[in-house]
């Protein structure tokens, strides 16, 4: 990846088009960024490319005519899919409200799994400071997860002393 095409609307772009072509944040024009992926995600990526191909410019996701998928299409499909994927009790919550929330979830999940914050930040293209201030708090029911971990850590101390020792 060496460029982005953010959708801002015709009134807000330099070109009068819905999308302005821009370079990656904080990088010289044309510079790329290596993003290491675990083997299972590489396999999914390869399967997607083999099944769906890519747009002429290399994009993985594109419209039926090879164009850029617009925000309203993403929004509609996201909400339809979200309603199918989540239990009814969670559809009215802020959980996964926007497609961008997947980024929050992915980064928070990696941190929760114990991945090195510097590595997680590098893969995300962020600083560690941004990672920890912005993304380290987005997991659903994180309090219960942490309570179980703390209980597991302390449980050996809850046992009565062995009288034989």
């Amino acid at each position: 990846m060496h460029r982005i095409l953010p959708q801002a609307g015709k009134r807000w772009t330099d070109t009068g088009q819905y999308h302005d072509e821009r370079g990656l944040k904080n990088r010289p024009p044309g510079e790329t960024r290596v993003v290491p992926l675990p083997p299972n995600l590489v396999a999914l990526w390869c399967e997607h490319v083999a099944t769906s191909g890519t747009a002429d410019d290399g994009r993985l996701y594109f419209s039926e005519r090879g164009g850029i998928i617009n925000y309203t299409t993403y929004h509609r499909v996201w909400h339809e899919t979200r309603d199918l994927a989540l239990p009814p009790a969670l559809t009215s919550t802020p959980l996964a409200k926007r497609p961008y929330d997947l980024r929050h979830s992915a980064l928070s999940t990696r941190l929760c799994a114990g991945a090195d914050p510097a590595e997680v930040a590098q893969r995300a293209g962020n600083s560690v400071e941004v990672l920890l201030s912005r993304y380290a708090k987005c997991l659903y029911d994180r309090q219960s997860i942490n309570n179980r971990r703390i209980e597991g850590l302390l449980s050996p101390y809850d046992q009565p002393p062995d009288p034989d020792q």
Side-chain angles (χ1 to χ4, degrees), residues 56-128:
D56 291 341
D57 63 0
R59 283 176 292 113
L60 291 177
Y61 303 103
F62 47 92
S63 70
E64 291 175 346
R65 295 184 184 147
I68 298 169
I69 300 173
N70 66 37
Y71 173 78
T72 56
T73 301
Y74 268 119
H75 183 76
R76 179 182 50 78
V77 171
W78 180 258
H79 285 283
E80 289 172 6
T81 305
R82 183 179 179 272
D83 289 343
L84 293 171
L86 292 177
L90 294 179
T91 58
S92 63
T93 70
L95 181 67
K97 199 76 165 172
R98 311 160 299 161
Y100 193 75
D101 292 336
L102 288 178
R103 178 178 173 84
H104 288 260
S105 177
L107 299 180
S108 295
T109 299
R110 291 171 189 163
L111 290 172
C112 190
D116 174 38
E119 177 71 15
V120 174
Q122 180 183 5
R123 289 181 183 209
N126 288 117
S127 67
V128 174

